[in-house]
Amino acid sequence: MPPNLVSALQAVLKGGVVYSDMNDTMTVQRSLPHGHALAALGTARQLGLARILARTTSRYRQLALAAIIAHIINPSSQLGAARTLSPETAAFSLGKMLNLGPVSGHEMLSMLNWLRSE
């Protein structure tokens, strides 16, 4: 008998289960890079960057903070930053850490107008 068949038979005799394909046993879930986003967000918080952007918490303040950190991690356009932060297309965990949910390019441009007026 081939060695792999012998080991499978031994496993079954010991009460184990043998699968012909590992895809039948597990589901791969999406995993986002986290460490660099956490470090950048932690540094921004230590510096009080959110409070410098605006005194009160708002969606635009969160978006501005996220945009700054996203540009430090991965420089891109505002549309690129929106894609990087949105859950469906996220490149790292920053959007999730800030509870942003879906972010659109129009929302990022509105945030820039808000930032100019602050």
Side-chain angles (χ1 to χ4, degrees):
M1 287 181 130
N4 61 341
L5 188 57
V6 171
S7 62
L9 187 55
Q10 287 174 336
V12 170
L13 290 174
K14 291 180 183 177
V17 179
V18 178
Y19 293 95
S20 61
D21 186 9
M22 287 302 292
N23 291 329
D24 296 339
T25 64
M26 64 179 71
T27 304
V28 177
Q29 294 183 349
R30 187 168 181 213
S31 172
L32 295 173
H34 180 68
H36 62 307
L38 182 63
L41 180 59
T43 301
R45 285 182 173 157
Q46 285 179 347
L47 294 172
L49 183 57
R51 184 117 169 105
I52 292 169
L53 293 170
R55 291 191 179 270
T56 59
T57 302
S58 69
R59 171 84 173 158
Y60 284 144
R61 183 175 97 166
Q62 290 294 89
L63 286 172
L65 178 63
I68 292 167
I69 295 169
H71 283 289
I72 291 169
I73 294 171
N74 183 24
S76 65
S77 66
Q78 291 303 315
L79 179 58
R83 289 181 179 153
T84 298
L85 296 168
S86 287
E88 301 82 29
T89 55
F92 41 84
S93 64
L94 182 61
K96 185 167 181 68
M97 285 190 290
L98 292 173
N99 296 317
L100 294 179
V103 179
S104 71
H106 292 292
E107 192 175 26
M108 293 299 278
L109 293 174
S110 295
M111 176 273 300
L112 286 176
N113 291 332
W114 168 84
L115 197 55
R116 285 184 195 113
S117 68
E118 280 295 306

